[in-house]
Amino acid sequence: MKLKSNLVLILAGVLLFSSCALQKGHLSFQGKNDEIIATPKIKDYLKTRTNPSIVLKAPNTETKSTQSDPNSYIYNAIEKELLIAGFDVKDRGLFNEVVSKSKEIDYRELKKLTNTELLLELVYVSIKIEYGTNKFYTKNGEQKVVNQNFTKYGAVIEFKLIIIETNEFAGSYSFYYTPCSSENTGCECEIAYKNYLTPRIYPYLSFCRGQNNSNKEYEYVSEIVMEDFVREGVKLMIKEMRN
């Protein structure tokens, strides 16, 4: 009888400890699907050109190629992938100078002056797309609703492609980075909690970075994550153009 009582006490102690111990859960968000539209014209155009020339037009780009821009690392990532894929990437600063000096120029003449066949316009880019939820998942995958809102940030990048000589629309491409999706779950998605009847959340504790971290590191999408996201998007865009 004494042994049975001891076992009951031990079991109760284990359950109490497991409920009070800090545990690791995670957030999960559902995002938008990428939108990739390549027209038959661009597919046909690229079938006859192994090394097409292309220039990137960035939003609000200054005419000087040396002008500083906080998104310059994004432009460089785009151009790197175009180069890897065999495109002849033209200097966007010089291209803009030609355009700015020739406001009345038609597209056929623009192609001759810049020796550029395709214009890839970066229509929109943001690293501050907000995602919010009051739900998290426990270490066992159980969904919990709590009286607290969790906010994380994703990203979006949108392109438009133009065949310069004919001024023809050749494609539209939108790519979305969703934080804490099934494809990318890391430190920024973790949730520290204690498993009481109503879970107690510890938003500033981190299993990856140590305790008392205010999570400022993940306020917006980091440059490293954004660069990888952009390069993968450009790869998908090129693949769709050429298929």
Side-chain angles (χ1 to χ4, degrees):
M1 189 61 141
K2 186 176 180 181
L3 179 60
K4 184 177 180 181
S5 298
N6 288 339
L7 288 174
V8 171
L9 288 173
I10 291 171
L11 180 59
V14 170
L15 291 173
L16 179 63
F17 175 78
S18 63
S19 66
C20 294
L22 198 63
Q23 300 183 55
K24 181 167 67 173
H26 69 276
L27 300 174
S28 180
F29 295 103
Q30 291 291 324
K32 290 184 177 181
N33 294 325
D34 295 336
E35 300 169 12
I36 305 175
I37 304 170
T39 67
K41 289 186 180 296
I42 190 61
K43 292 176 182 286
D44 292 341
Y45 193 87
L46 293 181
K47 284 177 183 177
T48 59
R49 292 163 174 81
T50 57
N51 187 34
S53 56
I54 191 169
V55 68
L56 174 67
K57 183 179 184 298
N60 302 317
T61 301
E62 297 290 340
T63 56
K64 294 181 180 179
S65 58
T66 56
Q67 184 74 24
S68 61
D69 189 316
N71 288 329
S72 60
Y73 74 98
I74 294 175
Y75 312 149
N76 291 335
I78 295 167
E79 291 173 336
K80 282 178 185 177
E81 283 304 321
L82 291 170
L83 284 167
I84 290 171
F87 286 84
D88 176 16
V89 180
K90 300 299 183 180
D91 185 283
R92 59 181 181 271
L94 295 177
F95 182 89
N96 289 329
E97 285 184 13
V98 172
V99 172
S100 67
K101 292 175 182 177
S102 309
K103 298 292 185 182
E104 304 296 325
I105 193 171
D106 64 31
Y107 280 84
R108 290 178 186 272
E109 189 65 20
L110 181 61
K111 178 181 181 293
K112 291 179 182 178
L113 289 174
T114 63
N115 193 27
T116 307
E117 298 168 282
L118 301 173
L119 173 66
L120 181 63
E121 182 178 355
L122 178 52
V123 179
Y124 179 68
V125 60
S126 176
I127 60 170
K128 302 176 183 179
I129 305 301
E130 188 173 303
Y131 289 78
T133 184
N134 65 340
K135 301 172 184 176
F136 80 98
Y137 292 84
T138 68
K139 66 177 184 179
N140 298 320
E142 182 182 1
Q143 187 185 81
K144 296 286 187 180
V145 180
V146 293
N147 188 27
Q148 180 170 335
N149 189 61
F150 305 103
T151 301
K152 299 295 176 184
Y153 291 89
V156 61
I157 189 164
E158 299 178 5
F159 299 97
K160 181 171 69 174
L161 186 65
I162 301 293
I163 300 173
I164 291 179
E165 185 174 12
T166 56
N167 190 25
E168 289 180 280
F169 173 78
S172 176
Y173 311 88
S174 299
F175 302 99
Y176 302 93
Y177 172 80
T178 305
C180 307
S181 68
S182 57
E183 292 80 17
N184 58 85
T185 301
C187 292
E188 71 276 17
C189 303
E190 67 187 18
I191 293 295
Y193 72 98
K194 288 185 178 179
N195 197 24
Y196 299 116
L197 186 60
T198 299
R200 182 177 296 174
I201 306 300
Y202 298 84
Y204 299 129
L205 297 184
S206 169
F207 293 92
C208 295
R209 300 180 300 280
Q211 296 187 346
N212 298 321
N213 193 304
S214 65
N215 216 29
K216 294 286 187 182
E217 180 179 348
Y218 297 107
E219 187 174 358
Y220 298 125
V221 180
S222 70
E223 286 193 10
I224 294 174
V225 171
M226 188 64 183
E227 184 174 343
D228 288 343
F229 158 66
V230 168
R231 294 186 72 160
E232 286 303 312
V234 174
K235 287 177 185 176
L236 289 173
M237 178 174 62
I238 294 169
K239 181 179 178 181
E240 185 64 22
M241 286 182 203
R242 287 178 164 166
N243 282 346

